[in-house]
Amino acid sequence: MATVLSPAPKGRPREFCTDAALAKALHIFWTKGYEGASITDLTEAMGITRPSLYAAFGNKESLFRKALDLYEREKLDYMRCALDAPTARGVVERLMRGGVANQTSEADAKGCLGVISTVTCGDDAQGIRDEVIARRASSRAALIERFERARAQGDFGTEIDVEALINYLFAFLQGLAVQAGSGATRGELDRTVDLALKFWPTR
């Protein structure tokens, strides 16, 4: 009589929601930066064990990359919307206002995740620094293309150095993030944006 083989037992299903755990990991990275966030910090916030973290997300660097994807998808969506503004000034205002709203939200940590994570990265986290810089370069390239088109359409004078203008814009946005992280209120940051927009070059 033939022996009936039982099906191989399946792996034990995860007992936690990976999306919710990733959102909690993002908050820890956003609060403490990449190097400042320990595995213990992460597992305690996510409510999971170390083996569960490694099984679901890989190592700490892999977890950070997934958290960065979530950050860009949920927190930086205003940057993609900004590029659709009809004028370069409109693009900049959407970026500035969106940045202020994002950085002063009561539901989130303060400051920019990219800035927080790269300024404290040592040699052991060079891969993380490179990743954040590469993503920032992609955003910069999209802005350069948009501003070059704006200049061709007469949004501002042809003498404007587009790359220098974007350098200024990035420095300003990072400055807003640092101030938000230091406790600046939304009202204070909005007034700073109001002043900056008064000096934005127009035709």
Side-chain angles (χ1 to χ4, degrees):
M1 181 176 177
T3 301
V4 178
L5 298 177
S6 298
K10 295 182 179 180
R12 185 178 179 182
R14 293 193 183 112
E15 297 177 350
F16 64 93
C17 173
T18 55
D19 290 342
L22 183 59
K24 292 175 181 177
L26 169 58
H27 184 81
I28 294 298
F29 282 129
W30 198 350
T31 303
K32 298 190 173 186
Y34 177 74
E35 289 194 323
S38 69
I39 293 295
T40 299
D41 291 332
L42 292 164
T43 54
E44 288 181 354
M46 298 164 77
I48 62 177
T49 63
R50 287 183 180 231
S52 293
L53 185 153
Y54 295 135
F57 301 104
N59 59 18
K60 180 183 174 182
E61 183 171 333
S62 177
L63 174 62
F64 179 81
R65 292 176 193 276
K66 289 181 173 65
L68 192 57
D69 289 339
L70 177 62
Y71 175 76
E72 292 183 343
R73 188 166 61 250
E74 292 191 351
K75 311 301 182 184
L76 300 185
D77 187 60
Y78 69 89
M79 298 187 75
R80 286 184 288 274
C81 294
L83 294 174
D84 295 330
T87 65
R89 189 184 186 282
V91 171
V92 169
E93 180 160 15
R94 288 186 185 183
L95 286 174
M96 291 181 176
R97 302 292 186 198
V100 168
N102 186 44
Q103 293 151 10
T104 56
S105 168
E106 292 297 326
D108 295 312
K110 302 298 186 290
C112 172
L113 177 61
V115 172
I116 292 168
S117 296
T118 55
V119 296
T120 58
C121 278
D123 292 340
D124 291 342
Q126 187 60 43
I128 291 299
R129 179 189 293 274
D130 292 344
E131 173 80 10
V132 173
I133 290 173
R135 295 190 188 211
R136 190 177 300 152
S138 177
S139 298
R140 176 185 170 84
L143 276 172
I144 288 176
E145 189 279 330
R146 179 65 184 84
F147 280 13
E148 291 286 6
R149 179 155 43 94
R151 183 168 62 178
Q153 293 170 344
D155 253 7
F156 36 65
T158 57
E159 76 282 358
I160 292 294
D161 183 335
V162 167
E163 292 203 26
L165 192 60
I166 289 174
N167 286 342
Y168 161 77
L169 175 60
F170 270 57
F172 185 85
L173 292 173
Q174 290 170 0
L176 288 178
V178 171
Q179 289 186 31
S182 299
T185 67
R186 181 164 183 170
E188 291 169 339
L189 297 177
D190 276 336
R191 290 196 297 275
T192 303
V193 169
D194 290 340
L195 183 62
L197 289 172
K198 288 182 180 180
F199 295 101
W200 185 259
T202 56
R203 181 169 46 186

